């Protein structure tokens, strides 16, 4: 009996990326998928930012009708608080609507777009690997670098749309003669390029960190460092800043000098930085293991501790790195800002002697400027802490969307206990971050010999501001419990607080009721007004009601299951 050996069938052809084909295979499909998946998110970002450009330009245009109003505002931008809020101060001698827009709006637009860029890049790269969804995508004919390239391409597209539409909005709101299209584009394109730089930084850090939260925290810490560098450089010399400020991508947008002496070449620094960062990210991505980071995670215990069995320990493990990096980044930034306080009196005294508008606005006592500067910085710090509270209050939604909530509730853990653990850790983090921000400012002043205000007034400021931060946290938690899709309204409330606090005075005849929605409206002005026990208890009561609504709503609604 003979047997015939069958010749084995030839192996199936490998996917292009697996057999040495392009590492960008499938990029176009991923671009379309990201645009479809994030169409609502990106549309909201675009509309809000364009509205800010249009609103701020129109408000400044109305202000220009009052004689001397813009000149007085230009004098304000020469103060330390104005330099921190604005920039190097180009065009202050002839403070037009355009110069005001460029000086006072550039930093904030870079901040908003940088946050959007960081979140977008991390969401579609490191977060996708962490959730294992990227592994499913890579199982198809998709190149190694395709997801990252798709994230960057969509980010660039969104920034281009925002820059073009915002330039048109500024030109229409401010008048064609006063806001030329070239200068409007110079401002918006410079801002967009600077924000893309931070998106590219987030892509690099996504290769280093194994977790999306870590990559986001590190990226925001880098932004905080860049902000501190440009502030320190601008404070040393105005107008123009010093060489130190040029080490910050934020300064590259400021140095376009839109509406004063438009220069396009500083944008080339952003383009070069973006290309170098993308090249570095590609090298790191090619050398690391898929799903892992270049910085290896520390090995854990073989057996979990008994203390890790509860939902509180789980929530702490999930949120601790974000809290650590937020405290480190913001703490260093406010510490550096505190070291500038002793120089404020001298700087402002010179301005008052040279500019009558400054004396008319603020009097002849430079010490009042130091107090005003501190109040503005505290307001910035509290807004940052409120942003952290919003992010952490939205963590339960992320757990539910990823399917981890369903697994946690499969164990003998009640809904109330699980949500209570998440909110307890988020509340603890908000309290710690607020304390770090306020006391870092105090410590920076103490280190350089500034003893007034002392520790007591800073403690009063901390206690007064804390309930307002918790209101933001409770508001988002209540939205998660009753209408999870509306948790983004937390950012709308934060944006409203910023607009009404900084630009509300520009609007004539604004009713007092327009300020009532802002939690910070009910907080006494830092270092100026005394601690208000009634406001403190009232805001705590509002936060407690929102927390209670969160627990009630979460017990009543269905949990999203996978």
């Amino acid at each position: 009996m003979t047997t015939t050996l069958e010749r084995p069938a030839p192996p199936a052809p490998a996917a292009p990326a697996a057999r040495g084909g392009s590492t960008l295979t499938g990029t176009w499909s991923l671009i379309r998928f990201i645009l479809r998946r994030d169409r609502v998110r990106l549309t909201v970002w675009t509309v809000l930012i364009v509205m800010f450009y249009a609103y701020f330009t129109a408000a400044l245009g109305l202000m220009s009708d009052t004689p001397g109003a813009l000149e007085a505002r230009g004098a304000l931008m020469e103060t330390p608080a104005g330099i921190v809020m604005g920039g190097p101060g180009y065009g202050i001698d002839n403070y037009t609507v355009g110069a005001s827009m460029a000086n006072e709006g550039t930093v904030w637009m870079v901040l908003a777009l940088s946050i959007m860029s960081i979140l977008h890049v991390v969401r579609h790269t490191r977060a996708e690997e962490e959730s294992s969804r990227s592994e499913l995508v890579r199982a198809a004919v998709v190149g190694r670098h395709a997801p990252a390239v798709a994230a960057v391409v969509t980010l660039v597209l969104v920034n281009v749309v925002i820059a073009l539409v915002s330039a048109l909005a500024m030109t229409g709101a401010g008048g064609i003669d006063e806001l030329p299209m070239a200068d409007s584009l110079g401002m918006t394109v410079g801002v967009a390029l600077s924000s893309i730089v931070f998106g590219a930084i987030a892509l690099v850090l996504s290769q280093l960190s194994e977790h999306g939260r870590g990559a986001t925290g590190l990226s925001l810490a880098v932004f905080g460092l860049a902000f501190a560098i440009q502030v320190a450089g601008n404070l040393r010399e105005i107008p123009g800043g010093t060489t130190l400020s040029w080490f910050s991508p934020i300064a590259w947008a400021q140095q376009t000098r839109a509406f004063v002496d438009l220069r396009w070449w500083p944008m080339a620094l952003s383009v070069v930085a973006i290309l170098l960062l993308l090249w570095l990210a590609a090298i790191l991505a090619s050398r690391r293991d898929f799903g892992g980071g270049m910085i290896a995670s520390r090995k854990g215990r073989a057996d979990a501790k008994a203390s890790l069995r509860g939902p509180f320990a789980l929530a702490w493990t999930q949120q601790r790195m974000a809290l650590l990096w937020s405290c480190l980044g913001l703490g260093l930034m406010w510490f550096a800002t505190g070291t500038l306080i002793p120089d404020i009196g001298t700087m402002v005294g010179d301005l008052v002697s040279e500019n009558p508008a400054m004396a008319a606005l603020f009097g002849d006592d430079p010490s009042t400027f130091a107090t005003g500067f501190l109040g503005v910085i505290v307001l910035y710090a509290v807004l940052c802490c409120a942003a952290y509270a919003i992010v952490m209050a939205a963590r339960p939604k992320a757990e539910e969307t990823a399917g981890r909530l369903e697994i946690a509730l499969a164990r003998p853990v009640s809904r109330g206990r699980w949500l209570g653990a998440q909110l307890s850790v988020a509340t603890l983090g908000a309290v710690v971050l607020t304390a770090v921000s306020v006391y870092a400012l105090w410590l920076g002043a103490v280190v350089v010999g500034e003893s007034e205000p002392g520790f007591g007034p800073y403690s009063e400021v901390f206690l007064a501001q804390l309930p307002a931060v918790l209101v933001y946290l409770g508001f988002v938690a209540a939205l998660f419990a009753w209408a999870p899709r509306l948790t983004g309204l937390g950012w709308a409330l934060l944006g409203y607080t910023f607009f009404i606090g900084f630009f509300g005075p520009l609007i004539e005849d604004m009713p007092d009721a327009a300020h009532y929605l802002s939690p910070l409206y009910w907080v006494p002005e830092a270092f100026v007004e005394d601690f208000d026990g009634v406001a403190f208890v009232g805001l705590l009561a509002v936060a407690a009601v929102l927390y209670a609504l969160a627990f009630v709503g979460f017990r009543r609604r269905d949990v999203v299951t996978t």
Side-chain angles (χ1 to χ4, degrees):
M1 179 177 181
T2 61
T3 58
T4 303
L5 297 177
E6 296 181 358
R7 179 177 298 174
R19 66 181 183 208
S22 174
T23 60
L24 302 181
T25 302
T27 300
W28 176 242
S29 297
L30 290 177
I31 290 174
R32 291 185 297 168
F33 172 72
I34 291 174
L35 292 177
R36 178 175 176 79
R37 177 186 175 187
D38 284 5
R39 60 187 183 278
V40 175
R41 180 191 304 268
L42 296 179
T43 299
V44 170
W45 274 102
T46 301
V47 170
L48 289 177
I49 292 174
V50 171
M51 286 179 60
F52 172 83
Y53 274 114
Y55 164 76
F56 194 18
T57 305
L60 291 171
L62 292 175
M63 191 177 183
S64 64
D65 296 335
T66 302
L70 284 179
E71 289 78 3
R73 196 170 183 87
L76 175 63
M77 297 309 296
E78 293 185 272
T79 66
I83 297 170
V84 172
M85 184 178 70
Y90 292 113
I92 290 180
D93 294 337
N94 182 25
Y95 211 54
T96 62
V97 172
S100 178
M101 186 66 189
N103 275 288
E104 302 175 39
T106 297
V107 171
W108 297 106
M109 297 317 304
V110 173
L111 170 62
L113 282 174
S114 295
I115 292 175
M116 182 199 75
S117 300
I118 290 170
L119 295 178
H120 181 83
V121 169
V122 174
R123 170 181 169 85
H124 293 290
T125 55
R126 171 51 58 188
E128 289 295 281
E129 290 190 33
E130 188 177 3
S131 66
S132 299
R133 285 189 293 265
S134 187
E135 184 177 1
L136 297 176
V137 172
R138 291 277 300 276
V141 185
V142 175
R144 182 179 185 89
H145 299 308
V149 173
V152 172
V153 170
T154 52
L155 176 64
V156 172
L157 289 175
V158 172
N159 274 281
V160 167
V161 171
I162 290 175
L164 294 178
V165 178
S166 298
L168 291 172
M170 289 173 62
T171 302
I176 296 179
D177 294 336
E178 192 164 5
L179 296 182
M181 176 58 71
D183 290 83
S184 299
L185 280 174
M187 176 180 173
T188 59
V189 173
V191 167
L193 286 173
S194 292
S195 69
I196 296 174
V197 171
F198 290 101
I201 290 173
L203 184 61
V204 173
L205 295 175
S206 293
Q207 315 308 316
L208 300 178
S209 176
E210 191 174 345
H211 302 287
R213 293 186 297 273
T216 301
L218 285 171
S219 302
L220 293 176
V222 171
F223 182 89
L225 178 62
F227 178 82
I229 290 174
Q230 65 90 21
V231 167
N234 291 336
L235 281 173
R236 292 175 180 270
E237 181 179 341
I238 186 169
T242 61
T243 304
L244 176 62
S245 64
W246 284 85
F247 287 91
S248 170
I250 301 174
W252 304 340
Q254 298 170 332
Q255 292 296 336
T256 57
R257 303 183 186 181
F259 307 106
V260 178
D261 179 23
L262 181 61
R263 303 186 302 179
W264 294 92
W265 67 263
M267 301 181 194
L269 297 175
S270 296
V271 175
V272 172
I274 292 169
L275 294 177
L276 290 176
L277 289 167
L278 294 180
W279 172 75
L280 177 59
I283 292 177
L284 295 176
S286 300
R287 297 180 178 227
R288 68 176 177 86
D289 293 332
F290 179 76
M294 295 295 293
I295 301 176
S297 298
R298 183 171 55 90
K299 292 184 178 180
R301 294 162 50 98
D303 299 321
K305 296 180 180 179
S307 60
L308 294 179
R309 294 177 180 174
F312 184 88
L314 174 63
W316 170 251
T317 302
Q318 292 170 332
Q319 300 183 30
R320 62 185 179 184
M321 291 306 298
L323 176 61
L324 172 63
W325 288 112
S326 297
C327 288
L328 181 62
L330 292 178
L332 289 175
M333 182 170 68
W334 302 130
F335 174 82
T337 304
T339 61
L340 304 174
I341 293 175
D343 299 327
I344 293 174
T346 302
M347 295 174 62
V348 175
D350 295 340
L351 292 173
V352 168
S353 62
E354 298 173 0
N355 195 323
M358 290 289 291
L361 280 173
F362 303 106
D364 300 323
D365 185 6
S367 62
T368 60
F369 288 93
T371 304
F373 175 78
L374 281 173
V376 172
I377 296 303
V378 167
L379 181 58
Y380 294 158
V382 172
L383 289 174
C384 292
C385 295
Y388 172 87
I390 292 172
V391 172
M392 292 300 106
R395 282 296 308 164
K397 179 184 177 182
E399 293 296 294
E400 183 179 13
T401 304
R404 291 187 290 268
L405 171 58
E406 181 183 2
I407 299 174
L409 296 180
R411 297 183 58 82
V413 176
S414 66
R415 290 191 181 193
R417 186 183 174 196
W418 180 87
L419 182 62
Q422 293 286 331
L423 295 184
S424 296
V425 176
T427 301
L428 176 64
V431 172
V432 171
L433 185 60
T434 305
V436 167
S437 299
V438 173
Y439 289 120
L441 187 63
W442 166 77
L443 185 60
V446 170
V447 167
V448 294
E450 186 70 21
S451 58
E452 294 295 336
F455 184 82
Y458 276 94
S459 298
E460 289 184 1
V461 168
F462 162 66
L463 290 176
Q465 303 288 340
L466 182 59
V469 175
L470 298 183
V471 168
Y472 289 98
L473 197 157
F475 177 66
V476 176
L479 289 174
F480 159 73
W482 290 91
R485 292 187 177 183
L486 300 181
T487 52
L489 290 178
W491 294 108
L493 178 61
L494 185 66
Y496 181 80
T497 301
F498 172 79
F499 286 130
I500 206 69
F502 286 99
F503 306 120
L506 296 177
I507 304 176
E508 297 181 0
D509 301 327
M510 174 175 285
D512 292 338
H515 297 271
Y516 294 164
L517 289 178
S518 170
L520 295 180
Y521 170 76
W522 305 98
V523 178
E525 186 176 355
F527 304 106
V528 175
E529 300 177 350
D530 294 333
F531 179 81
D532 189 346
V534 175
F536 177 81
V537 174
L539 287 172
L540 276 183
V542 172
V545 170
L546 291 172
Y547 276 55
L549 287 174
F551 282 99
V552 173
F554 187 58
R555 284 198 299 264
R556 293 172 62 89
R557 73 170 177 86
D558 294 332
V559 173
V560 177
T561 58
T562 56

